[in-house]
Amino acid sequence: GRNDEMRNPFNAAKDERIQAELNSIYRIGYLVLMFGILFDLFLQYVPTLGAENVSVRPVEFAVFLVANILCLVLMVRKGISDDDSRYAEADSFPRGYYIRVSLLGALIASVLFGAIQVYRFSEIGLTDTVLVVLITTASIFIFTAPTIFGVQYFCYRLAKKRRDKMEQTYNDDEK
């Protein structure tokens, strides 16, 4: 009852509607923070393109990577393979959805890196710049799309395996 809640406030009963609202709020905050850090890293990288030593703040970059990898590991440990509830616990790999996600991610990455190349090679002449940008953009796209798809498939398989194991443990406990 009330005394239990007073003794241990962290295990108190939670309102599901409030939890859902807070989760949505935290997700928005997380996305703003992650894209803000990514944009800041990008702004640090671009001015140093012509220099011999390209630099970004290593702690900022490490925190960005660790935060995202930690979220991914925690999701997989809970048997969740995606933050989209339609595909989070899918029984079969939603290939079409992940092809679209992979192509969109690769397109964004290749356009960004193509823009960097325009900035970097704009002094060498229009024809050469266009050629460098096209080669860079195509290369980034061709490499990134299958990589994103492969990582998504790997995470799906790990989460599905974990979900099956959790279900098996639950069924064994029921017996």
Side-chain angles (χ1 to χ4, degrees):
R2 179 126 169 91
N3 283 341
D4 292 336
E5 290 176 15
M6 294 300 286
R7 277 186 259 154
N8 193 353
F10 299 108
N11 288 334
K14 295 182 172 118
D15 183 317
E16 288 182 23
R17 184 191 65 79
I18 291 173
Q19 285 300 115
E21 292 296 333
L22 286 173
N23 288 342
S24 176
I25 291 166
Y26 288 139
R27 181 177 180 190
I28 292 167
Y30 167 81
L31 291 173
V32 168
L33 182 63
M34 285 298 112
F35 281 108
I37 290 173
L38 189 60
F39 185 66
D40 185 48
L41 288 168
F42 180 76
L43 290 177
Q44 292 170 45
Y45 174 73
V46 171
T48 62
L49 282 175
E52 287 182 23
N53 295 330
V54 176
S55 68
V56 295
R57 293 184 197 110
V59 173
E60 182 180 21
F61 183 68
V63 168
F64 176 79
L65 286 178
V66 168
N68 283 288
I69 291 170
L70 179 64
C71 287
L72 186 60
V73 168
L74 292 173
M75 284 174 50
V76 168
R77 285 195 59 191
K78 295 292 184 180
I80 300 169
S81 61
D82 196 299
D83 63 347
D84 187 329
S85 60
R86 294 174 295 178
Y87 306 110
E89 296 181 317
D91 289 329
S92 62
F93 185 67
R95 202 171 342 188
Y97 168 73
Y98 286 119
I99 287 173
R100 288 190 301 275
V101 167
S102 300
L103 292 176
L104 179 63
L107 180 65
I108 291 169
S110 61
V111 167
L112 278 174
F113 280 96
I116 289 171
Q117 296 306 322
V118 166
Y119 174 80
R120 186 173 180 193
F121 293 107
S122 59
E123 305 89 33
I124 65 172
L126 183 61
T127 305
D128 293 334
T129 300
V130 169
L131 186 60
V132 167
V133 168
L134 287 176
I135 290 171
T136 301
T137 304
S139 299
I140 294 291
F141 185 84
I142 289 168
F143 174 75
T144 305
T147 301
I148 292 171
F149 187 81
V151 168
Q152 291 287 357
Y153 182 74
F154 180 69
C155 290
Y156 167 79
R157 296 303 308 162
L158 288 175
K160 176 98 169 87
K161 185 176 180 181
R162 179 72 177 155
R163 207 168 42 248
D164 291 345
K165 184 178 179 183
M166 290 175 5
E167 188 176 306
Q168 182 64 36
T169 303
Y170 176 76
N171 289 338
D172 290 345
D173 288 345
E174 289 290 313
K175 293 179 182 179

